[in-house]
């Protein structure tokens, strides 16, 4: 196990290097610059700003300096927010994205597993067709459509919750549902297919022949193997939920990391964009590694590192 973790950590180095390199050059080569929208800046001030941030140096020198700062754990100063570093902005806004992502993940797991297990136990019936139809709809409709519809119905028409802001718990409901719905749909379909594969197997029939209660068969025997597809999906899904709330945070005005990323992309924030991308990439790698460990725990035939 320890050798597996060490090897995975070593394998992350080239991956993170590629992420940092690609995002660095993409944002630098994009039209415009971090100060191009500052209409009142005189050429002398612009020259001083470029010198202050090292933009007057060749791009290869900037790249080497950027990598050297990353090795020190320093993602650099933000071009959009003066006197603030990328590290500070990530540290302040990521807890909001994390909170939203965890709520969305809980919602997705509860709804998806419930629908998938019920559908598998009542396959080829209305209890199967209805949730799977809604799951397909949930996969097909993007969040930038679902979010405004939910805000219009439950916020503006019914007045049950606020449609923007991040103050009370009720402000979390609509963003969490919007973010979690497509993941709930995937989990429902994966858990249904996983359970359908496990339920006809011999050890389930043997348990039933011994008179083991059905609920015990489901919870103790079937779920462990039936949820393996869901576990495989949870790694990238968890990272995607926690870090992929760009659109949802913008729709509901949530002060999370995704909104910072959107603003950084629009403002050509040369350090914020690759900094957040690198942070997201690191999270994705960590979650995938946790999934590999969990997968091996659920299925002892799988040995980590082989």
């Amino acid at each position: 196990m320890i050798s597996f973790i060490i090897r995975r950590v070593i394998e992350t180095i080239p991956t993170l290097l590629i992420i940092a390199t690609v995002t660095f050059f993409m944002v630098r080569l994009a039209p415009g610059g971090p100060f191009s929208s500052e209409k009142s800046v005189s050429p002398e001030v612009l020259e001083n700003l470029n010198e202050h941030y090292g933009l007057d140096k060749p791009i290869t020198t900037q790249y080497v300096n950027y990598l050297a700062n990353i090795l020190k754990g320093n993602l650099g100063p933000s071009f959009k927010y003066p006197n603030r570093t990328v590290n500070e902005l990530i540290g302040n806004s990521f807890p909001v994205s994390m909170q939203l992502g965890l709520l969305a993940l809980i919602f997705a797991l509860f709804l998806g597993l419930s629908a998938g297990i019920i559908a598998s136990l009542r396959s080829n019936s209305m209890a199967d067709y209805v949730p799977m139809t809604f799951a397909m709809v949930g996969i097909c409709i993007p969040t930038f459509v679902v979010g405004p519809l939910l805000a219009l119905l439950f916020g503006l028409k019914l007045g049950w919750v606020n449609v923007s802001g991040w103050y009370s718990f009720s402000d979390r409901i609509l963003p969490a549902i919007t973010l979690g719905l497509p993941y709930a749909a995937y989990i429902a379909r994966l858990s249904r297919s996983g359970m359908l594969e496990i339920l006809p197997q011999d050890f389930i029939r043997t348990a039933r022949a011994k008179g083991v209660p059905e609920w015990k068969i489901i919870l103790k025997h079937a779920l462990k193997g039936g949820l393996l597809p869901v576990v495989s999906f949870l790694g990238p899904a968890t990272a995607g939920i926690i870090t992929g709330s760009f659109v949802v945070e913008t729709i509901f005005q949530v002060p999370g990391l995704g909104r910072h990323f959107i603003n950084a992309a629009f403002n050509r924030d040369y350090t914020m964009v690759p900094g957040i991308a690198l942070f997201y990439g690191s999270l994705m790698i960590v979650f995938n590694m946790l999934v590999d460990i969990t997968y091996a725990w659920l299925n002892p035939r799988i040995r980590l590192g082989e």
Side-chain angles (χ1 to χ4, degrees):
M1 179 70 73
I2 294 176
S3 62
F4 165 78
I5 294 174
I6 293 174
R7 190 167 62 251
R8 288 297 298 269
V9 170
I10 294 174
E11 289 173 356
T12 62
I13 295 174
T15 305
L16 294 176
L17 179 62
I18 292 173
I19 293 173
T21 303
V22 170
T23 53
F24 176 88
F25 283 104
M26 282 184 67
V27 73
R28 300 292 172 126
L29 296 176
F35 311 116
S36 57
S37 60
E38 303 290 341
K39 304 296 183 186
S40 59
V41 174
S42 64
E44 292 77 15
V45 174
L46 183 60
E47 186 178 345
N48 290 334
L49 284 172
N50 287 334
E51 184 180 357
H52 174 74
Y53 286 104
L55 299 180
D56 57 336
K57 297 182 174 63
I59 192 168
T60 51
T61 305
Q62 295 178 41
Y63 173 66
V64 172
N65 292 338
Y66 180 70
L67 291 184
N69 286 331
I70 288 178
L71 292 176
K72 299 174 187 173
N74 178 16
L75 296 175
S78 169
F79 288 75
K80 173 62 180 174
Y81 301 96
N83 302 321
R84 302 192 69 181
T85 65
V86 176
N87 296 58
E88 291 174 354
L89 290 168
I90 291 177
N92 291 336
S93 56
F94 180 65
V96 176
S97 297
M98 172 72 91
Q99 189 181 144
L100 172 60
L102 289 178
L103 289 173
L105 182 62
I106 292 170
F107 170 76
L109 283 172
F110 176 76
L111 184 63
L113 290 178
S114 302
I117 292 171
I118 291 173
S120 67
L121 296 176
R122 300 286 184 270
S123 61
N124 299 321
S125 68
M126 289 302 291
D128 181 15
Y129 299 144
V130 172
M132 289 305 104
T133 301
F134 277 104
M136 183 58 68
V137 173
I139 292 172
C140 295
I141 300 180
T143 54
F144 62 79
V145 175
V146 175
L149 287 177
L150 292 178
L152 178 65
L153 177 62
F154 296 104
L156 300 180
K157 294 291 184 184
L158 299 176
W160 290 354
V161 291
N162 294 325
V163 297
S164 66
W166 192 257
Y167 306 104
S168 63
F169 180 77
S170 62
D171 298 335
R172 277 84 167 153
I173 295 175
L174 288 185
I177 292 175
T178 304
L179 184 60
L181 268 179
Y183 293 96
Y186 280 111
I187 290 172
R189 296 188 67 82
L190 288 172
S191 57
R192 176 187 178 275
S193 61
M195 290 292 288
L196 286 178
E197 190 176 336
I198 292 295
L199 288 175
Q201 292 194 9
D202 291 342
F203 72 97
I204 297 293
R205 284 200 294 268
T206 303
R208 283 176 174 152
K210 289 181 178 178
V212 178
E214 189 68 18
W215 65 268
K216 199 170 183 179
I217 293 174
I218 300 300
L219 294 179
K220 189 174 180 181
H221 302 285
L223 275 182
K224 195 170 181 179
L227 293 186
L228 285 176
V230 178
V231 173
S232 300
F233 174 70
L234 277 182
T238 303
I241 284 180
I242 291 176
T243 62
S245 55
F246 300 166
V247 176
V248 175
E249 290 181 7
T250 303
I251 292 173
F252 294 100
Q253 296 297 298
V254 176
L257 195 53
R259 212 172 65 167
H260 275 309
F261 186 82
I262 296 290
N263 292 332
F266 278 119
N267 293 299
R268 304 289 189 275
D269 196 327
Y270 283 169
T271 49
M272 194 75 181
V273 172
I276 294 178
L278 200 60
F279 181 71
Y280 284 169
S282 304
L283 283 180
M284 186 74 78
I285 291 169
V286 169
F287 282 120
N288 277 306
M289 189 164 61
L290 291 176
V291 165
D292 287 343
I293 295 172
T294 307
Y295 205 86
W297 174 72
L298 286 174
N299 188 353
R301 290 174 296 180
I302 298 174
R303 291 289 176 263
L304 296 176
E306 295 180 358

